[in-house]
Amino acid sequence: MSDEPREAFEQLAPQLGAAAVARLDIEATAAGVVQRLRADVRPWWRNGLIRLAAVMVVVLGAGVLVRSAVVERRPTVAVVSAPPELQNLAVSQLEEMLDSLELERPVADLVRPGLNDLTTSELEQLLATMEG
Amino acid sequence: MSHRELGVLVGLLLVAAPAAAQGQRPVRDSLQARVMNQFLQNYRRAAQLSGEQMLKTQDVLRRSFHERNQLGENERGVWQALEDQLRPGVAANADSLAKLLDTVVGLQEEQVAQARREQAAYAEFLTPVQRALLTIELRRLQMRVEQMMQNRARPPMRPGG
């Protein structure tokens, strides 16, 4: 490249964009941007989704508070697992057992019963089943 | 009825009641013996015992029943004493209760020891299969007795039940 065009370019370069700069109204542009931004910013309570979420948080929080208060006041009942002897009984048998508990029969009466504890009619009945 | 006639009647009742109770005893003893005899016959058939095995089994069983009865009597006495201590309106004696509870556990240990002694005695002349059969049959007999006792204690049926 010769020196002439190069010099011409160097003289033209500072003038590039000068017309565009002259057309710019910076203050008016900034005022417009600020005005648009202000128009977009609404208070959060005017946003439907946020309002719904806030209502849900309040309702759930209230529910948790009420529940904890009720549960704390409710008397706790200790759940005792049934002994193995009871776990295979049918409902009717368990009802029978409940009835028999109400009798409050002396424990000593039912400790290791043997033939000596049977009446004569019970012994006869037992003998009949063994002979059969 | 005059006072004299009433006195004679009461006297007769006082004499007759124990006599009737005593009269029941031989019947009970005889029935118990028949039950045990039937038990042994059934077991002998099931286990195919020889004559000698049968005699030895009978001997060990007799001793074992005697010991069990003794243990049962002792245990009932202890339970009775425990219940007496806990009657409403009676101040329970803590030391007595602790001793009674120790006795209950001691008697239960004695039952286990007795069961071990019995098995050892049977093992001298019965095979394991014969011993297993005997143990099962004895358990069945015990369960029948307990069932009869429980039926006796059963409360009246509920209305509509």
Side-chain angles (χ1 to χ4, degrees):
Chain A
M1 187 182 282
S2 67
D3 287 344
E4 278 184 16
R6 184 174 182 166
E7 284 172 4
F9 279 131
E10 285 175 354
Q11 283 173 0
L12 276 173
Q15 294 170 19
L16 282 174
V21 168
R23 284 199 303 272
L24 269 180
D25 183 355
I26 293 172
E27 285 182 3
T29 306
V33 169
V34 168
Q35 192 179 1
R36 205 164 55 243
L37 283 172
R38 279 187 182 154
D40 284 345
V41 175
R42 286 177 299 171
W44 65 269
W45 59 86
R46 294 183 67 184
N47 185 319
L49 275 176
I50 294 179
R51 226 163 37 178
L52 181 65
V55 168
M56 283 179 71
V57 166
V58 169
V59 168
L60 287 174
V64 168
L65 283 175
V66 168
R67 189 169 180 271
S68 62
V70 169
V71 168
E72 275 171 16
R73 281 181 198 160
R74 192 184 298 159
T76 52
V77 179
V79 178
V80 181
S81 60
E85 295 87 346
L86 295 184
Q87 286 175 4
N88 293 327
L89 293 185
V91 173
S92 60
Q93 288 169 319
L94 286 168
E95 283 175 352
E96 255 182 46
M97 171 155 268
L98 269 177
D99 286 341
S100 68
L101 287 176
E102 288 166 10
L103 287 177
E104 292 187 3
R105 197 161 181 224
V107 176
D109 284 4
L110 292 170
V111 172
R112 291 162 64 87
L115 294 180
N116 285 338
D117 298 300
L118 296 184
T119 63
T120 49
S121 66
E122 285 168 338
L123 283 168
E124 282 167 354
Q125 198 185 326
L126 179 62
L127 189 58
T129 60
M130 292 169 82
E131 286 172 340
Chain B
M1 189 179 284
S2 69
H3 284 288
R4 189 176 174 181
E5 285 169 335
L6 188 62
V8 170
L9 185 60
V10 169
L12 278 173
L13 283 173
L14 285 173
V15 171
Q22 279 185 345
Q24 287 278 308
R25 192 74 215 168
V27 177
R28 281 181 53 81
D29 289 349
S30 162
L31 273 168
Q32 280 188 29
R34 283 175 63 193
V35 166
M36 282 320 299
N37 188 45
Q38 189 62 47
F39 173 84
L40 277 166
Q41 292 303 326
N42 292 352
Y43 171 61
R44 180 182 190 172
R45 252 197 317 277
Q48 299 178 326
L49 295 188
S50 68
E52 190 186 350
Q53 281 178 316
M54 176 72 169
L55 285 173
K56 287 182 176 174
T57 303
Q58 204 171 343
D59 187 41
V60 176
L61 257 185
R62 196 178 57 246
R63 272 188 284 135
S64 144
F65 278 164
H66 179 69
E67 284 180 25
R68 278 170 193 240
N69 282 340
Q70 288 288 326
L71 267 178
E73 285 295 317
N74 293 345
E75 205 176 334
R76 276 177 228 190
V78 176
W79 282 109
Q80 182 65 57
L82 264 175
E83 285 181 317
D84 287 347
Q85 284 278 335
L86 297 177
R87 267 182 307 172
V90 176
N93 183 307
D95 286 344
S96 300
L97 280 174
K99 281 179 190 165
L100 286 167
L101 288 171
D102 286 347
T103 311
V104 168
V105 177
L107 286 169
Q108 287 167 348
E109 286 170 345
E110 180 54 33
Q111 284 173 32
V112 175
Q114 191 203 353
R116 285 192 206 284
R117 284 198 300 273
E118 282 174 22
Q119 287 300 324
Y122 289 125
E124 288 179 12
F125 55 90
L126 295 179
T127 66
V129 173
Q130 289 171 325
R131 275 196 292 144
L133 266 173
L134 179 62
T135 308
I136 287 172
E137 289 304 320
L138 281 170
R139 184 75 195 123
R140 281 190 182 141
L141 180 63
Q142 180 64 31
M143 283 165 75
R144 278 185 200 153
V145 171
E146 285 173 11
Q147 185 67 51
M148 285 176 154
M149 299 283 290
Q150 282 162 11
N151 288 347
R152 204 193 289 171
R154 186 163 289 173
M157 290 289 284
R158 293 172 171 195

